[in-house]
């Protein structure tokens, strides 16, 4: 599935508030200390065109968006990210660390009623053979993640432009997030490339980091 050697492509994913955006810079440091060249990015977004789609998805769209429309917008942003950032970085032998990817569409739009097999097929069209070498899901009960994002509400992704508008995704119910979590937990059964679930419940930032680093060590990433 992954036809992009010599680089390596790692995705961190999970429900909102799972801690992936905190863990990615810590991982980046470890890779860099070991001499790897790293490209850190995020999905949706990560390119000029992707940023415009991200803004539309998160803030600007008015009215209720059909799940098919939403899914294709996420895929469109991702197609741009793969062709402009991820594929060239991998071709140069870099490590790509990406915050969310197709795994999020499976969990979120899957929870919204889009069949996951169709999401995978759509992704094959959008990203070709550029699938992650490994996807790490940081697992945590949905209510705990929601509690964390509640603290962060009103702030934006560190890489995005400042926004005062309401985040369209913040108004979804706890029940929806519980389905999203189940969607992430089901990924290893059908995702085309390896997925590891890391239980982070009750662990400190450092403990989660050590768990991820140990997992990567075991899989010969360092
Ligand atoms: P974030 O990048 O700030 O986490 O916000 C992205 C939001 O979009 C988050 O709630 C997860 C959601 N999302 C999807 O619903 N589908 C997707 O494919 C992706 C990448 C994100």
């Amino acid at each position: 599935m992954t036809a992009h050697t010599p680089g390596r492509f790692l995705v961190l994913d999970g429900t909102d508030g799972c801690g992936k955006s905190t863990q990615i810079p810590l991982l980046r440091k470890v890779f860099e200390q070991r001499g790897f060249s790293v490209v850190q990015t995020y999905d949706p977004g990560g390119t000029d065109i992707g940023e415009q789609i991200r803004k539309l998805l998160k803030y600007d769209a008015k009215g209720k968006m059909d799940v098919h429309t939403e899914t294709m917008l996420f895929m469109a942003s991702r197609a741009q990210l793969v062709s402009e950032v991820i594929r060239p970085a991998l071709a140069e032998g870099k490590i790509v660390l990406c915050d969310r990817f197709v795994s999020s569409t499976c969990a979120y739009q899957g929870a919204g009623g889009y069949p996951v097999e169709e999401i995978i097929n759509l992704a094959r069209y959008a990203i070709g053979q550029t699938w992650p070498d490994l996807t790490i899901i940081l697992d945590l009960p949905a209510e705990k993640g929601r509690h964390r994002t509640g603290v962060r509400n009103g702030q934006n992704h560190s890489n995005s432009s400042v926004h005062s508008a309401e985040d369209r995704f913040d108004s979804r119910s706890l029940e929806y997030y519980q389905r999203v979590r189940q969607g992430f937990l089901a990924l290893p059964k059908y995702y085309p490339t390896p997925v590891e679930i890391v239980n982070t419940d009750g662990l400190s930032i450092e403990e989660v980091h050590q768990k991820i680093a140990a997992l990567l060590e075991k899989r010969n990433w360092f």
Side-chain angles (χ1 to χ4, degrees):
M1 181 61 62
T2 42
H4 54 239
T5 48
R8 294 183 103 179
F9 181 13
L10 177 63
V11 168
L12 253 69
D13 213 334
T15 48
D16 297 58
C18 70
K20 61 190 170 39
S21 309
T22 305
Q23 292 297 328
I24 286 176
L26 300 178
L27 272 184
R28 178 185 189 142
K29 220 182 261 173
V30 175
F31 277 111
E32 287 178 342
Q33 280 165 353
R34 297 179 186 220
F36 292 96
S37 178
V38 177
V39 169
Q40 183 183 333
T41 191
Y42 58 95
D43 173 13
T47 64
D48 286 347
I49 288 173
E51 269 312 310
Q52 294 171 69
I53 299 172
R54 177 184 175 89
K55 189 165 158 279
L56 176 67
L57 278 163
K58 285 193 73 138
Y59 307 103
D60 292 350
K62 304 280 184 289
K64 185 168 164 33
M65 192 181 290
D66 180 84
V67 70
H68 297 82
T69 314
E70 192 172 86
T71 301
M72 286 188 280
L73 284 171
F74 278 113
M75 286 296 176
S77 172
R78 186 168 298 137
Q80 189 69 28
L81 181 65
V82 166
S83 75
E84 201 176 313
V85 176
I86 298 177
R87 210 174 276 143
L90 293 172
E92 288 172 12
K94 296 182 176 161
I95 299 281
V96 174
L97 296 181
C98 189
D99 186 329
R100 299 196 184 280
F101 202 59
V102 177
S103 36
S104 268
T105 315
C106 293
Y108 285 86
Q109 281 62 52
Y114 201 120
V116 289
E117 315 77 54
E118 289 181 24
I119 292 171
I120 296 291
N121 284 336
L122 192 60
R124 289 190 211 280
Y125 174 71
I127 65 168
Q129 298 206 306
T130 310
W131 289 76
D133 292 289
L134 179 64
T135 300
I136 297 177
I137 305 299
L138 301 185
D139 181 53
L140 171 89
E143 55 276 18
K144 295 197 179 172
R146 286 290 285 162
H147 180 71
R148 284 192 196 160
T149 55
V151 176
R152 278 194 346 221
N153 273 354
Q155 295 178 14
N156 287 278
H157 200 291
S158 54
N159 295 312
S160 297
S161 52
V162 175
H163 247 278
S164 56
E166 196 181 328
D167 186 331
R168 289 177 58 250
F169 295 131
D170 277 351
S171 56
R172 296 175 296 195
S173 66
L174 176 61
E175 192 268 335
Y176 174 79
Y177 282 104
Q178 283 163 342
R179 274 186 285 131
V180 171
R181 182 191 185 199
Q182 292 311 315
F184 277 121
L185 293 176
L187 278 171
K189 285 189 229 141
Y190 65 87
Y191 206 63
T193 54
V195 178
E196 290 268 10
I197 309 283
V198 172
N199 181 354
T200 68
D201 195 11
L203 300 186
S204 68
I205 290 172
E206 183 53 28
E207 285 168 331
V208 174
H209 173 64
Q210 290 308 332
K211 239 177 149 172
I212 297 171
L215 192 158
L216 290 173
E217 192 103 51
K218 202 171 119 216
R219 284 181 167 266
N220 299 317
W221 277 68
F222 302 130

